Amino acid sequence: MTALVDEIRQIIASEGPMSLERYMAIALTHPEHGYYMNRDPFGAEGDFTTAPEISQMFGELLGLWAAEVWFRLGAPERINLVELGPGRGTLMLDALRAARVVSGLHDALDVHLIEASPALRNMQNEKLAEYLDMIQWHDSIEHLPEGPIIVIANEFFDALPACQYVKAEDGWHERMIGEDGDGKLHFGLAPDPQPLIQARAKKGTVLEVSFAAHDTMRTLASRIVEQTGALVAIDYGHMATGPSETLQAIRKHAMTDPLAEPGEADITMHVDFAHLARAARAAGAEVSGPIIQADFLMSLGLFERAAGLKKNADVRQAMEIDRSLLRLVGTGQEKGAGDKLVPSMGALFKVIGVSTADLGILPGFESKPGQTP
Ligand code: SAH
């Protein structure tokens, strides 16, 4: 049993069943035992692999994306480049290297990393050692300084806590977590329906709502409207709001029971991109996309960058580049960590852009603008 199971059981004993939202927040970011707080979850040795860990091209293209946005903003003398949940710091390292070729940009950059985990902050600090004079860390977006912002978020929104509601005869009941006296955590439903959720659906239908994702997007979009800037978010998710049951826990690249080992497994829910788009529009911002990751990366020049890298690569390196290309933009299954078959990211991952209207359709989204249903 994990240390967190005990703590969660105590809370339930004194306060009654807890919402899935609260459970997820505790399991992921409890200051002492939260999943992200004291480990490196990424890569073949860890629990899951993210796009920047698959290929340097991912971070490089996002660095050039940020450079193009900076130009469109009129190349301001100071610009806040913000990354939400930077993981190992790999994306930012590749982005900053790529941005070096853009004259004047490095001198204008103030980099802000929003990171809850002390362990990952340490890794980011080591990885980005050559750039420390331009970097500041923050616990939350509330602490960002004034001024224009360019925000990058890869696999951040899916780690934010979310609620599930289950349709019954008398309405939508929130999914709760309780303990039946057997020491184990169990799913249950709140006895009364949640009056704010009103939608027709068959009995047993599940809806997932992340208020934290909505609030984060709305806050950043308001900032962008007031002080200019742009945001790009990339995540596992769906284009349209609808019934979905995507809560999952991953440990060592395999699915596990989300209630069995809080603090030891990554727990996520797919991101509802239509919900994010509504949050951004409600703040008065313009939305680009959502589109699938494959379209976004290809439109930013992924294949051209791969061809450039292959010019200086030996045969083994060239094969590695092709393999990572397939994982980033393929739509089938490719070999992942330990040669296990994993679904490629090309269509499973979606990308959304947020800006003020005068910036136009953001870079990477031009081919398929405005797909929000
Ligand atoms: N962007 C990275 C890592 C994705 S994992 C990559 O693509 O590889 C999610 C990241 O968000 C981790 O760095 C995690 O510690 C951070 N994180 C999760 N919840 C957070 C929260 N509520 N506030 C700040 N950071 C958070």
Side-chain angles (χ1 to χ4, degrees), residues 29 36 42 48 50 52-53 83 85-87 114-117 120 139 154-156 159-160:
T29 51
Y36 282 115
F42 309 104
F48 60 98
T50 57
E53 302 300 332
E83 188 181 354
I114 310 294
E115 178 55 70
S117 158
L120 290 174
D139 289 333
N154 187 58
E155 293 215 41
F156 175 76
L160 296 181

Side-chain angles (χ1 to χ4, degrees), residues 34-367:
Y35 173 74
Y36 282 115
M37 300 313 263
N38 38 35
R39 76 181 71 227
D40 171 16
F42 309 104
E45 299 299 309
D47 297 315
F48 60 98
T49 305
T50 57
E53 302 300 332
I54 290 173
S55 167
Q56 68 184 77
M57 296 184 285
F58 189 82
E60 288 170 350
L61 292 176
L62 283 163
L64 297 176
W65 180 90
E68 169 64 22
V69 169
W70 178 64
F71 274 125
R72 290 197 197 176
L73 289 168
E77 254 172 51
R78 298 245 59 85
I79 181 81
N80 296 303
L81 178 61
V82 181
E83 188 181 354
L84 311 181
R88 282 177 169 172
T90 310
L91 189 161
M92 188 52 79
L93 183 69
D94 294 333
L96 290 176
R97 188 182 56 253
R100 270 215 169 112
V101 303
V102 181
S103 166
L105 177 52
H106 261 245
D107 291 338
L109 279 179
D110 294 309
V111 176
H112 300 275
L113 303 180
I114 310 294
E115 178 55 70
S117 158
L120 290 174
R121 270 189 196 201
N122 281 339
M123 292 196 72
Q124 292 153 18
N125 198 293
E126 276 172 32
K127 180 153 278 186
L128 295 164
E130 64 191 290
Y131 299 113
L132 289 186
D133 52 342
M134 56 165 93
I135 302 180
Q136 286 178 45
W137 276 265
H138 311 275
D139 289 333
S140 98
I141 54 169
E142 310 301 331
H143 302 122
L144 284 173
E146 302 284 296
I149 46 172
I150 299 178
V151 185
I152 299 174
N154 187 58
E155 293 215 41
F156 175 76
F157 281 95
D158 71 345
L160 296 181
C163 307
Q164 283 186 334
Y165 299 94
V166 183
K167 182 75 168 57
E169 297 288 347
D170 60 344
W172 295 86
H173 293 251
E174 183 165 7
R175 186 161 272 163
M176 308 295 284
I177 288 148
E179 198 262 322
D180 294 346
D182 57 0
K184 285 198 203 137
L185 301 173
H186 299 276
F187 283 118
L189 292 179
D192 297 322
Q194 163 56 258
L196 289 176
I197 309 279
Q198 297 285 346
R200 287 154 80 87
K202 275 199 302 215
K203 212 174 129 188
T205 304
V206 178
L207 272 184
E208 293 170 338
V209 185
S210 174
F211 297 101
H214 185 275
D215 291 352
T216 302
M217 178 57 100
R218 191 162 175 158
T219 303
L220 289 169
S222 298
R223 268 285 308 243
I224 287 169
V225 169
E226 283 161 20
Q227 303 184 39
T228 72
L231 171 149
V232 63
I234 305 146
D235 238 303
Y236 216 135
H238 35 265
M239 301 273 195
T241 303
S244 64
E245 194 168 4
T246 65
L247 174 70
Q248 65 172 30
I250 297 267
R251 190 174 184 188
K252 302 274 171 225
H253 299 269
M255 298 275 193
T256 162
D257 173 357
L259 299 188
E261 312 168 289
E264 298 298 321
D266 186 33
I267 302 179
T268 58
M269 274 190 250
H270 288 193
V271 171
D272 176 348
F273 278 83
H275 191 224
L276 288 186
R278 286 195 295 274
R281 289 198 182 102
E286 199 72 14
V287 171
S288 297
I291 60 175
I292 60 171
Q293 173 168 301
D295 287 338
F296 180 70
L297 294 179
M298 288 193 291
S299 158
L300 289 181
L302 180 68
F303 287 139
E304 293 78 355
R305 179 69 190 121
L309 282 177
K310 279 208 246 176
K311 275 196 194 132
N312 301 315
D314 60 28
V315 176
R316 200 188 52 78
Q317 289 166 332
M319 281 173 66
E320 198 46 52
I321 293 167
D322 282 340
R323 203 166 104 143
S324 54
L325 270 183
L326 269 177
R327 284 196 68 191
L328 291 177
V329 299
T331 52
Q333 292 205 320
E334 307 335 305
K335 277 188 185 164
D339 274 355
K340 266 192 210 159
L341 276 183
V342 288
S344 307
M345 297 174 156
L348 291 176
F349 279 70
K350 315 292 188 297
V351 191
I352 193 170
V354 174
S355 63
T356 46
D358 55 325
L359 256 55
I361 298 289
L362 289 172
F365 295 91
E366 300 89 347
S367 57

